[in-house]
Amino acid sequence: MQLFPCPFCGLRSEGEFHFAAEAGKTRPVTTRDVNAEEWAAYLFDQKNEKGATREVWTHLPCAEMFIMSRDSVTMEVLGTQTLRKLPA
Amino acid sequence: MTSKYSAFSVLREGLRGQSGWCKAWRSPKPKAAYDVVIIGAGGHGLATAYYLAKNHGITNVAVIEKSWLGGGNTGRNTTVIRSNYYYPASSALYGLSMKLYKNLSKELNYNVMFSQRGMLVLAHSEPEMEMAARNVNAMQLNGADAILMDVADVRKKAPLLNFSKDARFPIHGAVWQGSAGTGRHDAVAWGYARAASALGVDIIQNCEVTEFIKEAGRVCGVETTLGPIRADAVGAAVAGHSSVLAKLAGFKLPITSYALQAFVTEAMKPVMDTVAFSPAYGTYFSQSDKGGLVIGGALDRVPSYGQKGNLPIQEAVLSGLVEMAPVLAKVKLLRHWAGIVDVTPDSSPVIGPSGIDGLYVNCGWGTGGFKAIPAGGYLFAHLLANGTHHEFSRPFDKDRFVTGRLIDEGAASGIAH
Ligand SMILES: Cc1cc2nc3c(=O)[nH]c(=O)nc-3n(C[C@H](O)[C@H](O)[C@H](O)COP(=O)(O)OP(=O)(O)OC[C@H]3O[C@@H](n4cnc5c(N)ncnc54)[C@H](O)[C@@H]3O)c2cc1C
Ligand SMILES: [Zn+2]
């Protein structure tokens, strides 16, 4: 059983985590027309990196969403980054 | 030297100490240029080469493999062959594959051990029975053989299963596809390799494609660990590594790579003569001719290129097996492994132009592309030979993600791949 680090709860079993998406995708700005190709790229295309990856994960018990950097070959966790932000 | 396999040649070679067999395929040095270069000597790449030569007369073809042929998912899968899909496009595709599989041993002069022992997809509740009836109706309308079984019929087919009232998920019935079954995975790769090689195809093993040769935006060949190889058309059939090659070529794919695990037990006397899959438990199994149970289940939910599986899924699959057939609880596992599968958002493959001239892709088969090897090769060969789709592969072009015409088998037939 691999342990993943939740920035809120600490090290927990991998079974408690859900892979949500690759990090770094930006939703097209809908104040202008967005064509089908742009939507398809946003919704479906994946970098699917071999090696270092940056992904959005959820720790299901506490519902924390965060960024986890991993190596997709060795499965080593390289770091996490919380997505919580203080109000401006 | 003896090259054709027959009862007579097996007998004769037996009498002369197996000394007269020739190699099953040639291992030539790569030429500087080919009409078609195929990347990946898995089942799909090798079948593509065979059908290019046989159906289209294109024999100046190389299949380039970074490791040994058939060592990817083709040599790691649980060998279930079926066509119980929901949408007409899928039914046509997997139906073609079944048809080709039926005659494959004869056609390739190689025993692929296609055994049509039938498959049960179990339903464990009244709502699941309703969905099963809907699926059976769709399959029958598409011309695939499927019938709805009640629990008494299921018990006749597979008495080993758990019919206890105390079962966590009691069996209510099943979708039965009698023409489904299993095949010998290695033999499919080896048979296509041997037949393609005999028609003049060069199979180059231990040769990795590291870069694409591009001229004026068009792919004109590949850089490999054995040097550059030029080609009029390049086809990639590299399963879990499709995104890696796409990045090298400069296009994107809607694919995520995951590990999929499988298990084999010690050999036993025959206890199970069909394939059983329980979506509720997330486990399926069959018994090989050698006697071992071949067990599979769901993907590891962690994107991976690691070619090894994680413990939570092992626990889920094996506890599912014990619930499905409690009598198997004491059977010992012999081996366990994983392959890296190429999963698309709609659980259907991607066959078509890559978006870069001269480069075509056959990928996205995910957890279910062994059954599709003959059809995948047949249709990809058509595409590479003509530059245009066969009508059966047209719906599987990656433009479906732009037009929105997804073929969502994950949602429709509830088959997890
Ligand atoms: C555990 C498991 C169980 C499965 N069970 C079933 C099942 O029961 N039924 C079913 O229908 N399907 C099943 N599948 C899926 C099936 O195995 C695959 O969909 C199918 O084998 C894919 O064939 P392929 O030829 O596309 O890929 P592969 O057989 O993986 O071949 C791709 C080849 O490309 C090579 N390659 C990659 N990159 C490069 C490069 N840069 N240069 C040169 N070569 C390269 C690889 O080394 C590999 O040999 C299962 C898969 C797994 C892992
Ligand atoms: Zn947490």
Side-chain angles (χ1 to χ4, degrees), chain A residues 1-2 4 13-15 19 36-37 40 44-51 55 57 70 72-75, chain B residues 241 243-244 247 252-258 301-306 310-312 315 345 401-402 406:
Chain A
M1 195 84 65
Q2 186 172 11
F4 284 158
S13 159
E14 62 182 294
F19 165 66
E37 278 80 10
F44 299 121
D45 284 349
Q46 307 293 338
K47 287 198 205 127
N48 195 24
E49 295 279 4
K50 181 174 183 176
E55 300 159 335
W57 284 75
R70 297 185 307 123
S72 64
V73 180
T74 64
M75 308 307 266
Chain B
H241 278 74
S243 306
V244 176
K247 188 179 174 187
K252 290 257 173 65
L253 283 169
I255 284 180
T256 305
S257 295
Y258 291 98
R301 292 286 163 199
V302 186
S304 169
Y305 284 90
N310 70 12
L311 282 167
E315 201 175 349
F401 295 98
V402 175
L406 302 191

Side-chain angles (χ1 to χ4, degrees), chain B residues 40 42-44 65-66 73-74 77-80 209 239 367-371:
Chain B
H44 282 274
E65 168 56 51
K66 70 173 174 184
N73 294 340
T74 300
N77 80 89
T78 48
T79 81
V80 179
V209 170
T367 64
F370 175 69
K371 70 174 83 67

Side-chain angles (χ1 to χ4, degrees), chain B residues 291-352:
Chain B
L293 297 175
V294 181
I295 307 156
L299 293 167
D300 291 9
R301 292 286 163 199
V302 186
S304 169
Y305 284 90
Q307 224 164 240
K308 59 185 179 215
N310 70 12
L311 282 167
I313 293 291
Q314 292 174 21
E315 201 175 349
V317 172
L318 296 170
S319 61
L321 177 78
V322 172
E323 290 276 1
M324 273 174 92
V327 66
L328 297 176
K330 285 187 181 165
V331 180
K332 291 187 181 61
L333 287 183
L334 211 57
R335 283 179 291 126
H336 150 259
W337 64 90
I340 299 304
V341 295
D342 38 345
V343 176
T344 61
D346 63 353
S347 301
S348 286
V350 173
I351 307 171

